[in-house]
Amino acid sequence: MLMLLLGVVAALIGGAGVLSRHEPQDRPQGQFEMPQTLLGGGAYVQSVRMEPYSELKYKHIVRQAFDYSCGSAALVTILNYHLGVMVNEQQAMEGMLDKGEKDKIIERRGFSLLDMKRYVGSIGLSGAGFKAAIKDLQTLTEPAIVPIDYGGAKHFVVLRGIRDGVVYIADPSAGNIVFSVEEFARWWDKNTLFIISPAKGRQPRGDLALTDQELGVVDMDRVTGKGRQEALSNSALLLMRAVNSGAAGTWMHRN
């Protein structure tokens, strides 16, 4: 009888090793890993990185601090994320007040492209304004500050580029947004743009350049019916199986 009890205890102990709960492990913020071994999928781990939409919406954009500071925020967006010149909006505003037409700036409660040109010249950069057509923007290889007139209000935004009939804009007040070429052409004020060139011998940082992952900031109404779903790979099938089974909670962060 004693031997039988010992056998049962040994079996329970052995089984406990199989069913023991794994201690949660820390992962980098926003990264989750789903081991497929729990689902019979073999020795495979799918890493998934998540980024809040609120952060993606304003990624590589300096948000304007005031209603009238779209010009300075657009300027600093290009300085920081395209050229790698790290100044903040307050410094740019003070610089444009010092180098620009101060009385006119105060009167109109905003900055002009001429104020921007004088300021960037004072920090060793070259800025120039141009008149252009839509066809010129389609060949543009660097971001530009453009004025738009939307709803009767003047506003400065950063034109990142045009791809497949979609104009990608970094807006200091609204974040990463898109227009159709026809919409942008209606709102583009006086076909003007302002381009800042890097200092001699320096390569731009280039964070405002369009990438192959721009879908996350496109209005979904523009892509409905145009997206193509390719055949799922084995990795994607395993990931889908993990999500559907609830294994996504296997790893977690400790607060």
Side-chain angles (χ1 to χ4, degrees):
M1 186 67 177
L2 179 60
M3 293 301 294
L4 178 61
L5 289 174
L6 289 176
V8 172
V9 171
L12 290 174
I13 293 175
V18 175
L19 301 174
S20 62
R21 185 183 180 118
H22 292 284
E23 194 66 26
Q25 299 182 29
D26 288 330
R27 290 290 182 269
Q29 184 176 3
Q31 179 177 314
F32 300 86
E33 293 187 359
M34 293 176 283
Q36 305 301 315
T37 50
L38 295 180
L39 307 170
Y44 173 79
V45 174
Q46 175 71 50
S47 295
V48 180
R49 181 163 184 82
M50 301 182 184
E51 188 171 4
Y53 178 74
S54 58
E55 294 181 12
L56 180 64
K57 185 69 172 173
Y58 288 92
K59 189 172 184 177
H60 299 148
I61 296 177
V62 175
R63 300 181 69 170
Q64 63 188 79
F66 307 98
D67 290 342
Y68 56 84
S69 65
C70 58
S72 54
L75 175 64
V76 175
T77 293
I78 287 186
L79 292 178
N80 288 2
Y81 296 114
H82 175 58
L83 298 176
V85 177
M86 305 310 293
V87 299
N88 59 41
E89 188 181 8
Q90 183 67 33
Q91 291 170 324
M93 292 173 69
E94 291 175 355
M96 285 189 283
L97 280 169
D98 180 51
K99 304 299 181 183
E101 300 173 300
K102 187 173 182 178
D103 293 339
K104 291 185 178 180
I105 292 172
I106 295 173
E107 180 182 350
R108 64 176 173 257
R109 292 177 61 82
F111 301 101
S112 69
L113 296 180
L114 179 58
D115 299 324
M116 298 180 194
K117 176 180 175 66
R118 290 173 174 171
Y119 170 64
V120 298
S122 72
I123 59 174
L125 302 173
S126 175
F130 301 92
K131 288 279 191 178
I134 292 292
K135 64 179 182 179
D136 301 315
L137 300 184
Q138 292 173 335
T139 61
L140 201 62
T141 58
E142 53 193 326
I145 297 175
V146 294
I148 61 174
D149 189 340
Y150 181 68
K154 305 288 186 180
H155 187 48
F156 283 117
V157 297
V158 176
L159 171 71
R160 296 177 56 209
I162 300 177
R163 176 188 291 169
D164 298 331
V166 176
V167 182
Y168 290 81
I169 296 292
D171 188 327
S173 66
N176 284 297
I177 58 176
V178 296
F179 297 130
S180 69
V181 170
E182 294 75 19
E183 289 172 329
F184 180 78
R186 287 198 304 270
W187 299 329
W188 187 16
D189 189 21
K190 300 177 182 177
N191 286 43
T192 304
L193 69 155
F194 182 72
I195 296 176
I196 308 170
S197 302
K200 188 175 181 179
R202 293 197 59 177
Q203 291 296 319
R205 178 173 169 175
D207 285 340
L208 293 174
L210 296 182
T211 70
D212 293 332
Q213 299 177 344
E214 297 296 337
L215 186 60
V217 298
V218 173
D219 181 351
M220 289 306 296
D221 289 338
R222 298 186 184 281
V223 298
T224 301
K226 296 181 181 179
R228 293 183 303 165
Q229 183 175 2
E230 304 293 345
L232 291 176
S233 64
N234 184 57
S235 298
L237 286 170
L238 290 173
L239 175 60
M240 184 172 63
R241 187 192 306 169
V243 172
N244 291 337
S245 68
T250 300
W251 303 109
M252 62 193 74
H253 286 284
R254 288 196 293 265
N255 294 325

